């Protein structure tokens, strides 16, 4: 376990305290964690890939063993290229399970060397997702419980009313 490279993939539009919690847990288990930002997704993200990567890099700046990268292709291809053998996913509630189960089995079919490990974020973050955070920010609500300060600033700026 200790020698392996772990990849934590996601859209991170934007990263929340829930994601940060999962990264911290993964970093306790693995010497090298790659936070992998899916640049092109079907989700039509609010922030560009580069913006999402920059926000995450700001949060983990100076942290040994935590790397942030963007990617466009298949997860299994990236993992193979980086010699990563572990995929990290967060499991918040039963509702996550079916989708995560499907993804884990598909990735295993595509690459038998890749093991998916599920980590459970702190219970105070189990209801969180990025859509809720974007919605609250868009409507001018307080998002300080949900996202780090740099993400809050960018969301505020993004939704600031133009004069
Ligand atoms: N805390 C808070 N929110 C969390 C969370 C946590 N711990 N874990 C997940 N979420 C939220 C995300 O914010 C996101 O919310 P949103 O839908 O409201 O934006 C949602 O849960 C799920 O998103 P995420 O964890 O980012 O995963 P994803 O489903 O967007 O990402 C990829 C999926 C990118 C990993 C997957 O599509 C992929 O691997 N793509 C590459 C192509 C490929 O290889 N495809 C085959 C895969 S089988």
């Amino acid at each position: 376990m200790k020698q392996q490279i772990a990849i934590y993939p996601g859209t991170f539009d934007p990263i929340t305290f829930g994601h940060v919690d999962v990264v911290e847990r993964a970093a306790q288990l693995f010497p090298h964690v790659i936070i992998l930002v899916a640049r092109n997704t079907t989700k039509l993200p609010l922030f560009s890939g580069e913006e999402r990567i920059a926000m995450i890099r700001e949060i983990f700046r100076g942290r040994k063993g935590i790397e942030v990268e963007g990617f466009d292709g298949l997860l299994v291809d990236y993992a193979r290229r980086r010699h990563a053998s572990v995929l990290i996913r967060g499991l918040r509630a039963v509702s996550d399970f079916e989708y995560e189960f499907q993804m884990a089995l598909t990735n295993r079919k595509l690459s038998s060397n890749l093991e998916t490990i599920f980590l459970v974020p702190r219970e105070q973050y189990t209801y969180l997702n990025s859509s809720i955070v974007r919605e609250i920010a868009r409507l001018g609500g307080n998002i300080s419980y949900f996202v780090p300060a740099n993400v809050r600033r960018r969301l505020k700026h993004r939704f600031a009313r133009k004069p």
Side-chain angles (χ1 to χ4, degrees):
M1 197 106 146
K2 277 288 177 193
Q3 308 309 319
Q4 289 164 329
I5 299 178
I7 295 176
Y8 178 37
T11 309
F12 305 109
D13 185 39
I15 188 167
T16 69
F17 281 138
H19 295 119
V20 171
D21 186 88
V22 171
V23 174
E24 294 294 358
R25 283 170 205 282
Q28 296 277 325
L29 296 171
F30 299 98
H32 189 169
V33 176
I34 303 171
I35 305 169
L36 195 59
V37 178
R39 281 204 207 90
N40 295 326
T41 117
T42 47
K43 285 186 171 177
L44 293 176
L46 173 68
F47 292 105
S48 71
E50 295 319 310
E51 287 174 308
R52 284 177 276 140
I53 291 167
M55 280 187 268
I56 304 173
R57 286 202 175 128
E58 284 161 15
I59 294 164
F60 295 103
R61 182 174 296 140
R63 286 291 300 273
K64 218 170 150 263
I66 299 181
E67 186 185 347
V68 187
E69 271 220 326
F71 85 119
D72 300 304
L74 267 183
L75 202 50
V76 290
D77 291 338
Y78 179 88
R80 215 171 275 135
R81 202 164 65 242
R82 296 298 308 267
H83 305 289
S85 48
V86 172
L87 267 186
I88 301 286
R89 293 291 290 169
L91 258 197
R92 291 160 298 170
V94 180
S95 50
D96 281 345
F97 183 76
E98 219 165 308
Y99 172 61
E100 293 298 338
F101 189 63
Q102 181 188 27
M103 244 179 45
L105 291 182
T106 309
N107 282 325
R108 182 189 286 169
K109 192 82 189 164
L110 295 172
S111 171
S112 55
N113 303 324
L114 206 51
E115 205 60 66
T116 302
I117 293 186
F118 295 105
L119 297 177
V120 178
R122 276 172 85 165
E123 55 280 16
Q124 70 203 77
Y125 301 133
T126 49
Y127 62 92
L128 253 189
N129 67 23
S130 301
S131 308
I132 289 180
V133 170
R134 291 194 303 271
E135 172 83 350
I136 297 170
R138 189 172 63 81
L139 298 170
N142 182 1
I143 48 170
S144 55
Y145 309 114
F146 310 132
V147 294
N150 66 324
V151 176
R152 199 164 70 232
R153 278 194 298 274
R154 287 203 194 220
L155 278 165
K156 270 197 172 153
H157 187 257
R158 180 56 54 97
F159 290 119
R161 290 245 172 93
K162 303 270 181 321

